[in-house]
Amino acid sequence: MTKLTQSLPRRTLLQLGGAALATPMLMRSAWAQDKFVCKIAHSEAIGSPFTNAFDAWTTILNERSEGRIDAQHFPASQLGGLAQLLEMSRIGTIQVTAAGPDSEEAIAPEIAATAGAPGFIYKNEAHVDAVLQGDIGQEISRIAREKTGVEFVAYGEVGFRHLLTKEPVTDLASLQGVKLRVPEVRIWVDFWKLLGANPTPLPYSEQYSALSTGVIDGLDSDYFSVLGFKWHEQATNILPTYHWFLPKAIRMNAAWLDSLPDDLQELCRSSAKEVFAEQRTVNRAGADQALEDLKAVGCTVHPFAAEEKAKWEEKSASLYDTFGETSPATAAMIAKIQALA
């Protein structure tokens, strides 16, 4: 004990001791408050380009934040199905999930127009990028934040869908009466009816058995899924229609994002854009390879002439008006997307 402390009253010594003990405790408390748990949960399959991208993003968030963000990745519906994950992301039980913008149709139909509008709204991948990586992408993120409590911090993609059928379909004449599996969604039933097919709503999981038993004659899908679910074992004719494109919004709970320090908010947004730009590149290259793989296992790819595609677009065009009747904002969004083509 020093001469100074010897001369101090006992009460003062206790106060000084308490302050000395409190300082590291307060520091530890501050450090603890700097730890932000980020649960990333989605329904994409393990090994898919999407899940690989989330793996990479999880690592980036942990490393570049120097541990201040504790990112945890739960793929393949480990924390619930899509409907549950959407609700959990809105209320903040999880911080991040992924879903098509059409998942917000009931709350914000103008957002759904960027993914759930009738076929052929996107002309090619450059058109997709012009929409989602530009002003419209920012606008629908703002709308989602205001109406649903999530921010679209980036956009990944599953890609374009095409026809897979047992018998060749090469034009409108050969499409007539073909039993095609469709999602249990009215707009897609109406779309294929206008084109003359026989749309058959079925759950996603029943497509292989439905092909094998003849309940359906074909389906529409991206090339990855045709390979992954082995639908090519039951149907071998492909028509590259590019009739529907499915983007996936990377949805981050807005309240959680706002709770972060400014530098971590910037890290979340910028790193998401970085990672999912790469995911889009990988996905597009992978789609080309998947098509080659389908050819290698016996699928025949039929040419879809530009003049034939124009006929399909013309016959289904009235659905834009039908979809736009959902709300004036939806009609305006469809017009904006079409103007960028």
Side-chain angles (χ1 to χ4, degrees), residues 50 99-102 114-115 122 156-161 244-248:
F50 234 102
D102 53 326
T114 61
Y122 288 115
E157 65 187 39
V158 173
F160 279 101
R161 296 172 78 96
W244 186 42
F245 183 90
L246 180 57
K248 288 286 185 81

Side-chain angles (χ1 to χ4, degrees), residues 11 21 46 220:
R11 181 177 178 182
L21 288 170
I46 293 172
D220 72 333

Side-chain angles (χ1 to χ4, degrees), residues 109-160:
E110 66 271 37
I111 290 178
T114 61
F120 301 112
I121 193 166
Y122 288 115
K123 304 309 176 187
N124 47 44
E125 288 160 345
H127 185 201
V128 172
D129 291 343
V131 172
L132 295 178
Q133 307 309 316
D135 292 343
I136 291 177
Q138 295 178 26
E139 180 182 357
I140 65 173
S141 179
R142 176 185 57 76
I143 294 169
R145 181 180 250 273
E146 291 175 356
K147 292 189 174 183
T148 74
V150 301
E151 180 176 320
F152 295 173
V153 293
Y155 299 93
E157 65 187 39
V158 173
F160 279 101

Side-chain angles (χ1 to χ4, degrees), residues 4 33 39 96 106 113 117 138 150 170 248-249 270 296 300 304 311 326:
L4 175 61
Q33 290 172 2
K39 290 184 179 179
V96 178
Q138 295 178 26
V150 301
T170 57
K248 288 286 185 81
S270 62
T300 300
F304 193 41
K311 295 177 183 177
T326 308

Side-chain angles (χ1 to χ4, degrees), residues 284-315:
R284 292 171 189 184
D288 293 339
Q289 183 58 53
L291 181 57
E292 293 304 313
D293 293 343
L294 286 168
K295 292 178 185 177
V297 295
C299 288
T300 300
V301 179
H302 302 279
F304 193 41
E307 58 270 22
E308 184 63 29
K309 183 177 181 179
K311 295 177 183 177
W312 292 44
E313 292 178 350
E314 183 180 359
K315 283 192 71 70

Side-chain angles (χ1 to χ4, degrees), residues 328-341:
T330 305
M333 184 65 73
I334 290 172
K336 288 179 185 178
I337 294 170
Q338 291 174 320
L340 290 175

Side-chain angles (χ1 to χ4, degrees), residues 196-210:
N198 182 6
T200 305
L202 285 173
Y204 194 82
S205 60
E206 294 181 14
Q207 292 181 93
Y208 188 97
S209 61

Side-chain angles (χ1 to χ4, degrees), residues 56-74:
W57 192 33
T58 300
T59 300
I60 287 173
L61 288 174
N62 288 330
E63 290 182 351
R64 293 187 189 173
S65 71
E66 298 180 336
R68 293 161 66 198
I69 292 178
D70 177 15
Q72 305 169 8
H73 184 199
F74 303 92

